[in-house]
Amino acid sequence: MRKSDFRVVVLPGDGIGREVMDACLAVLDRLVPRLSGFGLAYETHRAGAELYRETGSAFPAAVARACERADAILFGAMGLPEVRRPDGTEIAPQLDLRLNLALYAGVRPVRAIPGVPLPLADPRAREIDFVLVREQTEGWFYGRYHPEVGPRSGENEAYDVGRVTRAGAERLFDFAFRLAARRRERDPRKGRVTCVDKANVHRSLALFNRIFGECAARHPDVPADHSYVDAMALNLIRRPWEYDVLATENQFGDILSDLGAAIIGGMGMAPSGDVGDDRALFQPAHGTAPDIAGQGIANPTAMILSAAMMLEWLGERHGVAAAVEGARRLEAAVDRAFGERRVLAVEHGGRDGTAAIANAIGAALAESGPL
Ligand code: ATP
């Protein structure tokens, strides 16, 4: 490992997580050696449901320590429906990592890639380009993180606790406003934050909404507005091209990000980053997809775009322009591979599987001129 290498912990996980990770690393191998000034030193670990089935531990302490030391984490997907803990819950180390590493902002870009068939007939759907920023340490997932909190649940009655704190909401909204300002630097038509909540029903979300108003006042240069989550579900089908940055609560973000994936062509197109103040994990928004695992047909684009997000985050954080440029090149190669109809994913009714898509993106990268 050279001094200029970023240490990247690689966790392929279960199901198609492993398949899309192999494809992603093959593409990175065609890009990173051509970029000057830095490298990626990978440290790969096993974790997830299969490991749990074999050993009784889904996420060994050594893996957790490696994640804490890493410059960034690349994560495939974890969990299998048939592998459960004695209390019936699925193996989901990604949820614990978000909490343990304070990865409070779930960043889920929803961008229509040229050439990819879209379910919305309106031609403006080609302009879809927004980012969901999902709070990831409290909200309606709080009870899962802290099962000891709240009334006891039994066979005839069960409770979930949601929680919003001022500190948790402020750091989320400040992140969203900074992101919107950066997006406007790249595209003057961008740069607006919409708070998505249910402030008319839940006290916690009324607080969330109020704190949003205070944060908006601290960022007068960034336009801000608000939507209830039910109206947003409607409008993300009716006119998704109008949005830019959507800041929302944990569970609403979970649901809306699948909706977002659907309108840009499916889970295989939806990347994500779990970002904190000084740590981050990058993973496709999809799960392990047991229904298609082992067939070589998973679309690796979400994983590859997540790796582009990682390069951008590392580059901006450490002042390494070549890494940011690598992210741009990778995104452009994805756009070229699909936009020039070199591939049509199985997910989109075509015949191209994991390896074919990775090859097409790698070939587009190789053509993209000197770096
Ligand atoms: P989780 O609960 O972790 O979100 P899940 O099993 O509910 O997992 P996914 O694994 O995301 O959901 O799969 C949802 C659907 O999307 C499945 O039909 C799956 O086959 C499809 N899918 C997910 N990822 C991909 C991909 N990369 N390429 C093609 N299809 C995918």
Side-chain angles (χ1 to χ4, degrees):
M1 180 173 159
R2 295 168 300 161
K3 223 173 150 203
S4 55
D5 283 349
F6 292 121
R7 288 159 306 166
V8 176
V9 162
V10 176
L11 304 174
D14 302 305
I16 65 164
R18 294 209 286 262
E19 300 168 37
V20 297
M21 183 64 81
D22 282 348
C24 172
L25 295 179
V27 171
L28 285 176
D29 282 347
R30 293 178 77 162
L31 171 70
V32 177
R34 295 170 60 210
L35 298 165
S36 56
F38 82 100
L40 298 180
Y42 300 120
E43 187 183 324
T44 303
H45 290 278
R46 281 191 74 200
E50 279 205 357
L51 187 68
Y52 179 82
R53 186 156 51 190
E54 274 174 39
T55 67
S57 164
F59 209 77
V63 183
R65 276 197 301 277
C67 290
E68 280 168 26
R69 285 194 305 262
D71 290 311
I73 303 164
L74 255 191
F75 190 105
M78 290 185 196
L80 294 170
E82 72 278 12
V83 182
R84 299 203 176 228
R85 296 186 191 281
D87 68 0
T89 58
E90 272 191 47
I91 308 295
Q94 59 276 28
L95 298 182
D96 302 318
L97 269 174
R98 286 173 191 162
L99 202 65
N100 297 340
L101 301 181
L103 308 176
Y104 59 86
V107 183
R108 281 124 187 259
V110 178
R111 181 173 73 89
I113 305 283
V116 171
L118 304 178
L120 301 177
D122 191 310
R124 286 173 295 181
R126 298 250 61 103
E127 293 159 27
I128 295 172
D129 179 8
F130 64 89
V131 186
L132 259 164
V133 182
R134 163 188 176 187
E135 201 295 319
Q136 300 200 131
T137 60
E138 45 189 35
W140 285 112
F141 277 51
Y142 189 75
R144 190 233 177 240
Y145 303 141
H146 298 279
E148 74 287 358
V149 175
R152 275 161 68 107
S153 293
E155 278 308 305
N156 301 315
E157 213 173 358
Y159 297 87
D160 286 297
V161 176
R163 180 165 101 141
V164 166
T165 62
R166 171 168 290 279
E170 277 181 351
R171 66 182 179 180
L172 179 85
F173 294 137
D174 282 334
F175 185 100
F177 279 99
R178 287 196 303 271
L179 175 64
R182 280 207 310 280
R183 280 169 65 79
R184 194 168 46 195
E185 280 168 21
R186 279 175 68 183
D187 180 348
R189 292 167 305 173
K190 295 290 173 192
R192 174 165 67 105
V193 184
T194 305
C195 175
V196 183
D197 58 54
K198 193 79 183 165
N200 50 341
V201 172
H202 299 294
R203 275 178 303 216
S204 59
L205 296 176
L207 176 64
F208 191 71
N209 178 283
R210 213 159 48 241
I211 295 170
F212 178 75
E214 296 167 13
C215 288
R218 284 203 298 275
H219 297 271
D221 44 327
V222 178
D225 56 13
H226 157 267
S227 167
Y228 294 130
V229 65
D230 41 347
M232 184 55 75
L234 179 81
N235 288 329
L236 284 185
I237 299 292
R238 278 202 172 153
R239 43 186 177 88
W241 43 86
E242 288 185 5
Y243 294 103
D244 187 29
V245 174
L246 307 181
T248 192
E249 180 274 336
N250 207 340
Q251 179 152 315
F252 295 163
D254 184 33
I255 297 166
L256 291 180
S257 61
D258 274 29
L259 196 162
I263 59 175
I264 55 162
M267 296 307 294
M269 303 305 294
S272 84
D274 297 333
V275 182
D277 286 331
D278 44 31
R279 292 202 173 90
L281 176 154
F282 298 87
Q283 63 172 325
H286 60 74
T288 56
D291 55 334
I292 58 165
Q295 301 173 41
I297 59 172
N299 180 355
T301 309
M303 182 78 242
I304 292 167
L305 288 173
S306 303
M309 291 174 72
M310 177 184 78
L311 289 177
E312 180 175 11
W313 184 80
L314 283 169
E316 284 182 350
R317 188 172 149 68
H318 297 275
V320 178
V324 178
E325 174 61 18
R328 298 275 171 279
R329 294 287 180 113
L330 199 43
E331 285 167 2
V334 168
D335 285 12
R336 174 121 49 109
F338 286 99
E340 295 177 0
R341 310 286 199 280
R342 299 181 187 189
V343 276
L344 186 62
V346 174
E347 188 182 29
H348 306 137
R351 305 168 74 92
D352 294 305
T354 317
I357 295 172
N359 279 338
I361 294 169
L365 261 179
E367 294 158 15
S368 75
L371 288 161

